[in-house]
Amino acid sequence: MSIQNLTQYLPAFLDGVSAWVLLGLRLIWGAILINYSLPMVKNPLHWMDRGGESSGFPSVLQALGALSVFGGGVAILAGFLTPLAGLGLAGAMLVALALHLSHGTPFVKSAPDAPGESYDTSLLYLAIALLFVFLGSGTLSLDYLLFG
């Protein structure tokens, strides 16, 4: 299958102000994902373990999660294969959301500095990932340079 056949499945490249807004979101969110996933990448097989106790989550899946969030962050930041990166990140966020919901984690904390977790960030990141799946990276990206 040729590259022209594959690019027909990419979203149209947004230009103008929309491209600048997508660039800003890509730079901010990509940097957040890279920073957030660095501890995961440093301990890829056991990053979910807490207090020396196993999380019970398979090590291979923990490594795949770390790789998808770090690699997805790099790809989003650069605007490279953005819809595919968004799809991988959406999958990672769905898993995070499912884990939070299965543990009865609240939607938001009672106060911003309250102890504990909430699933609002996972849900927000899922929405951002889906935005990039369906809108792409815009004209200010490697995707546009390579496939535009």
Side-chain angles (χ1 to χ4, degrees), residues 26-42 66 68-78 89 125:
R26 281 192 2 253
L27 294 176
I28 293 167
W29 194 50
I32 289 170
L33 290 171
I34 292 167
N35 188 47
Y36 175 78
S37 63
L38 279 176
M40 297 176 187
V41 173
K42 290 179 182 177
S68 67
V69 176
F70 182 78
V74 171
I76 291 290
L77 187 83
L89 287 164
Y125 286 4

Side-chain angles (χ1 to χ4, degrees), residues 90-105:
M93 293 308 126
L94 280 172
V95 170
L97 188 60
L99 287 172
H100 281 299
L101 291 174
S102 70
H103 290 106
T105 307

